[in-house]
Amino acid sequence: MARRRIIAGNWKMNKTPSEAVALCAELKDLVKNDAVDVVYCVPAIDIVPVAEAVKGTNVHVGAENFYIEDKGAFTGEISAPMLKDAGVEFIIIGHSERRDIFGENDILINQKVKKAFASGLKPILCCGESLALRKAGVYQEWIKRQIVWDLSDVTADQVKELVIAYEPIWAIGTGETATADQAEEVCKMIRETIAELYDADTAEAVRIQYGGSMNAGNAAELLSKPDIDGGLIGGASLKPDFGQIVNA
Ligand code: 13P
C-alpha cells in the first residue's frame, strides 16, 4: 500500500496575521500538488485568517499546540473544539520545543494524542533525540521509549491515521541535517516499533516524516527513502523554498 506523502510547515512563533495571509498568497501557486498532503501548522492567532486564505486550495490547516480540556478556567490555552471550529485538521504534539522550553512530558503528550483523536484532529506526533543522546549511542532506545509512552492506550485504527515526525534536536534550526541514511535508519526503526506494538498493517499505514533543517536542496534525497513519507519543516516553510519541498 502506497502511503500518501505529507509535507507540513511548522511556522513556530513567526508571522503576524497579516504577514500570514501574505505568505499564503506568496506560496499559493508554488505548493500546488494533488499527490501530496500539504499542511500549514500556524500560530493560534493566524489560524482563522490562514484558513480563510487557503480556502479552495490543496492546503490543510494545522495548529501548533492545544490543551486537553474542552473549555474552562485554563487562562491562555485553546481547546480542540476551538481548533476544529476554526477549520484545523492537524495538530503538532510533542515538539521538542514544547518538551524542552515548556516542560511537556510524555504523560501530557499521551493525553494530548488521545484527546486529539477523540476530537477529530489528526496528530503529528514528534519524537527525537538530543546530540548528547546520539553521541552516547542510546538514541534508538530513547525514541522507542517516547513512542511507547506517547501511544499508550492509542488504538491501531488511530495509529493508522497518525503522523509521526522524527526530529533530531541537533538538526532543528541548526542548518545541520541528518544524512538521508541517518534519517532513514530512525524512521525505519520507528515503523518497526509500531509493528511490535501493533501489527504489520498498522506499521505499513502510519506516515513518518523527517524534520530538522529540511530544505529545497536536501528534500528530494530524504524523501526518496522508503520509510520517510514526508517532512515537518520549520525555517524553509516560511519561504518560497517550501514549494520546492512540496514538489521534490
Ligand atoms: P527547521 O526546519 O527550522 O530545522 O525546524 C524543524 C522543526 O522543528 C519542524 O518542527
Side-chain angles (χ1 to χ4, degrees):
M1 185 194 62
R3 289 178 295 273
R4 194 173 157 84
R5 187 175 284 184
I6 177 164
I7 303 291
N10 174 7
W11 290 10
K12 307 194 178 183
M13 198 173 73
N14 294 293
K15 302 298 173 188
T16 65
S18 54
E19 289 169 348
V21 170
L23 180 59
C24 290
E26 185 183 8
L27 296 180
K28 188 173 173 190
D29 291 330
L30 305 175
V31 300
K32 274 191 187 147
N33 186 335
D34 289 336
V36 177
D37 285 341
V38 180
V39 187
Y40 296 167
C41 298
V42 306
I45 199 166
D46 295 341
I47 289 169
V48 170
V50 165
E52 185 61 33
V54 301
K55 225 174 236 170
T57 74
N58 59 321
V59 175
H60 302 266
V61 182
E64 300 177 15
N65 188 33
F66 77 119
Y67 189 58
I68 52 174
E69 299 293 340
D70 283 345
K71 59 180 171 177
F74 304 100
T75 302
E77 294 297 321
I78 55 172
S79 71
M82 292 171 182
L83 296 178
K84 281 285 289 180
D85 189 55
V88 168
E89 292 175 65
F90 291 87
I91 175 76
I92 297 175
I93 298 175
H95 193 281
S96 59
E97 287 150 20
R98 298 244 28 117
R99 293 177 190 257
D100 294 348
I101 304 171
F102 301 101
E104 291 194 12
N105 62 26
D106 289 298
I107 294 171
L108 178 62
I109 290 163
N110 173 242
Q111 289 175 317
K112 287 187 170 192
V113 171
K114 288 185 287 190
K115 180 68 186 181
F117 277 122
S119 308
L121 295 169
K122 293 182 187 136
I124 298 175
L125 172 65
C126 302
C127 59
E129 81 286 4
S130 64
L131 188 58
L133 289 168
R134 176 156 283 262
K135 283 191 171 155
V138 295
Y139 58 99
Q140 299 219 3
E141 291 86 338
W142 173 265
I143 293 160
K144 213 170 173 169
R145 196 195 62 104
Q146 287 182 321
I147 300 286
V148 170
W149 273 87
D150 298 348
L151 295 184
S152 172
D153 297 324
V154 176
T155 69
D157 282 347
Q158 290 172 330
V159 174
K160 287 182 177 125
E161 298 295 315
L162 178 70
V163 179
I164 299 176
Y166 167 52
E167 298 211 315
I169 298 169
W170 47 272
I172 294 178
T174 57
E176 187 171 345
T177 323
T179 65
D181 286 341
Q182 284 174 322
E184 168 62 15
E185 180 199 37
V186 175
C187 292
K188 183 167 185 276
M189 186 276 296
I190 291 170
R191 200 175 304 285
E192 287 166 357
T193 301
I194 297 297
E196 281 166 32
L197 292 172
Y198 296 91
D199 52 65
D201 282 355
T202 306
E204 192 57 34
V206 67
R207 292 189 289 179
I208 304 176
Q209 297 173 315
Y210 169 77
S213 300
M214 191 186 265
N215 58 42
N218 60 28
E221 193 191 355
L222 287 158
L223 294 169
S224 73
K225 293 294 178 183
D227 289 293
I228 302 179
D229 306 313
L232 183 57
I233 295 108
S237 72
L238 303 169
K239 302 189 284 194
D241 297 45
F242 191 66
Q244 288 173 257
I245 299 172
V246 168
N247 289 292

